[in-house]
């Protein structure tokens, strides 16, 4: 009996030893984003896919602690602090508020940001390229003027554009300034509607009815997280709706000339893999995302009463949905 107990005790100790060994071998990644919507969710998926290609596979040798700030910037700091206290091996910060909070709190844990408009102006890194800090990443600064001109080509008679955004989000204010300048340069006018939470988005969209000829939603996470509210208002009132993120086109926008957020996350994941393999974060260059594409949704155009040259936009589109909502061009 005593031998049996000793044998069982030995097996328990051995099991605990191997469990702790496995735990020690697991790489812990803390990932957080400001809110959940298709663009940022695709960023997260691309990040994990790139790591897996490099041998860092979730559930095998990597664990993710994924957190969502639910649109509250104060939560970004709480999440970053928890990652710091837990001493995770690497932090993936998706969006400007999350990256800002992480940069302020941790100075030793490697940080990879993504979906950040201007990481230098917002104090996340001192410069692009080799930052010399514990932080690197991928900027998603959009080609705002090119977007505005592209949408003006699709609807050349529109002169009064509307937009909805949260002025408390520093990530979007750069875009709104550029959008205003671009619209005015083309002889038009930009009408702004402000929100502070996603619950205010529908009311903001309704406030633009009768005041604008079309709406262009830029990189505002608050608005995009409640995008269906904007789509409903535009469909009900025949207001053409354009966006900057391609992920919102199948959700009901007419067009987007922008970036693939899966590829943004994928690029960030490749940088993270280099760090996990031994490179210093400050020697892994922070860079800009590239590879713009034009997505067109003819069903949305029909619902919103947009009179467009269907043949012309179909030919120009990299990805196209027909008037029945079927994807007929692109993957």
């Amino acid at each position: 009996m005593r031998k049996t107990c000793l044998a069982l005790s030995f097996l328990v100790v051995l099991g605990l030893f191997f469990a702790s060994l496995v735990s020690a071998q697991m790489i812990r990644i803390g990932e957080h984003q400001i809110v959940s919507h298709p663009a940022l969710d695709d960023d997260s998926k691309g990040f994990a896919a790139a790591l897996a290609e490099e041998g860092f596979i979730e559930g095998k040798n990597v664990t993710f602690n994924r957190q969502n700030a639910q649109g509250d910037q104060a939560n970004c700091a709480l999440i970053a602090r928890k990652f710091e206290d837990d001493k995770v091996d690497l932090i993936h910060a998706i969006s400007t508020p999350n990256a800002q909070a992480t940069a302020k709190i941790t100075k030793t844990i490697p940080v990879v940001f993504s979906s950040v408009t201007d990481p230098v102006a917002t104090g996340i890194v001192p410069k692009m390229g080799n930052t010399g800090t514990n932080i690197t990443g991928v900027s998603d600064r959009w080609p705002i003027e090119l977007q505005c001109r592209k949408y003006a080509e699709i609807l050349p008679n529109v002169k009064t554009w509307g937009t909805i955004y949260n002025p408390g989000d520093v990530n979007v204010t750069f875009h709104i300034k550029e959008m205003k300048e671009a619209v005015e340069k083309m002889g038009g006018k930009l009408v702004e509607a402000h929100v502070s939470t996603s619950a205010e988005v529908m009311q903001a969209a309704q406030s633009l009815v009768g005041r604008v000829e079309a709406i262009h939603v830029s990189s505002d996470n608050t608005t995009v997280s409640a995008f269906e509210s904007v789509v409903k208002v535009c469909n009900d009132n025949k207001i053409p709706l354009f966006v900057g993120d391609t992920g919102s086109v199948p959700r009901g926008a007419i067009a987007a000339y922008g970036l693939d957020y899966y590829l943004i996350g994928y690029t960030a994941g490749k940088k993270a893999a280099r760090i996990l393999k031994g490179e210093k974060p400050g020697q892994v260059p922070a860079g800009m995302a590239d590879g713009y594409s034009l997505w067109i949704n003819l069903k949305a155009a029909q619902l919103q009463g947009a009179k467009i040259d269907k043949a012309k936009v179909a030919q120009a589109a990299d990805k196209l949905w027909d008037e029945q909502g079927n994807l007929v061009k692109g993957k």
Side-chain angles (χ1 to χ4, degrees):
M1 183 69 178
R2 186 179 177 186
K3 288 182 178 179
T4 302
C5 290
L6 287 171
L8 287 172
S9 297
F10 174 75
L11 289 173
V12 169
V13 171
L14 191 63
L16 290 172
F17 170 76
F18 281 115
S20 64
L21 186 63
V22 170
S23 177
Q25 291 174 339
M26 293 292 281
I27 295 167
R28 296 173 303 146
I29 296 177
E31 179 181 87
H32 59 138
Q33 62 192 68
I34 185 64
V35 72
S36 179
H37 62 66
L40 300 186
D41 295 345
D42 283 348
D43 182 325
S44 174
K45 293 173 186 175
F47 185 84
L51 281 178
E53 284 185 2
E54 297 294 331
F56 301 102
I57 302 169
E58 185 171 4
K60 183 178 180 181
N61 57 357
V62 172
T63 61
F64 276 88
N65 180 357
R66 294 185 175 92
Q67 297 294 322
N68 189 317
Q70 303 296 334
D72 188 341
Q73 295 190 30
N75 287 339
C76 298
L78 296 176
I79 295 168
R81 174 57 64 189
K82 183 67 167 59
F83 290 159
E84 170 77 4
D85 292 343
D86 289 346
K87 294 181 172 57
V88 298
D89 298 297
L90 183 140
I91 297 173
H92 180 208
I94 305 175
S95 86
T96 298
N98 302 79
Q100 282 182 306
T102 305
K104 289 177 181 177
I105 287 170
T106 184
K107 304 299 180 185
T108 56
I109 296 174
V111 177
V112 179
F113 65 78
S114 55
S115 297
V116 171
T117 299
D118 194 332
V120 177
T122 51
I124 296 166
V125 292
K127 61 180 180 178
M128 297 298 278
N130 293 347
T131 67
T133 69
N134 63 313
I135 304 174
T136 187
V138 184
S139 169
D140 68 340
R141 192 173 185 90
W142 293 359
I144 297 295
E145 184 170 350
L146 288 176
Q147 287 177 336
C148 291
R149 291 191 177 280
K150 184 74 69 176
Y151 306 156
E153 289 174 7
I154 295 172
L155 287 180
N157 295 323
V158 171
K159 295 300 179 185
T160 306
W161 292 83
T163 193
I164 306 165
Y165 72 101
N166 179 357
D169 185 347
V170 67
N171 189 50
V172 74
T173 54
F174 297 106
H175 284 173
I176 298 301
K177 181 176 180 292
E178 290 182 26
M179 186 189 296
K180 188 172 189 290
E181 291 172 352
V183 170
E184 290 177 351
K185 191 184 295 184
M186 293 185 293
K189 177 184 177 183
L190 183 67
V191 179
E192 302 176 16
H194 297 170
V195 296
S196 57
T197 69
S198 58
E200 299 171 1
V201 171
M202 177 169 278
Q203 184 178 356
Q206 290 170 335
S207 76
L208 294 174
V209 176
R211 301 169 61 206
V212 303
E213 299 167 271
I215 292 175
H216 177 180
V217 173
S218 189
S219 62
D220 184 60
N221 290 311
T222 305
T223 304
V224 177
S225 68
F227 191 67
E228 283 69 23
S229 298
V230 186
V231 172
K232 184 179 188 315
V233 172
C234 288
N235 289 351
D236 291 347
N237 294 277
K238 304 302 179 188
I239 302 173
L241 174 61
F242 295 80
V243 289
D245 69 292
T246 53
S248 291
V249 174
R251 296 171 73 189
I254 293 173
Y257 180 65
L259 297 158
D260 183 333
Y261 275 75
Y262 181 91
L263 293 179
I264 290 173
Y266 182 88
T267 304
K270 289 292 185 178
K271 293 180 186 295
R274 290 173 60 179
I275 294 167
L276 294 175
K277 289 180 179 180
E279 291 188 55
K280 293 182 179 179
Q283 298 301 312
V284 176
M288 305 292 291
D290 56 16
Y292 304 121
S293 60
L294 178 64
W295 292 21
I296 300 286
N297 185 337
L298 293 178
K299 181 178 180 180
Q302 183 180 51
L303 290 171
Q304 293 157 19
K307 296 178 181 179
I308 63 177
D309 187 331
K310 297 175 186 176
K312 183 178 180 181
V313 298
Q315 184 177 9
D318 297 292
K319 200 164 187 175
L320 177 72
W321 285 261
D322 65 17
E323 291 176 328
Q324 286 70 52
N326 301 312
L327 180 63
V328 294
K329 184 178 181 181
K331 294 180 180 181

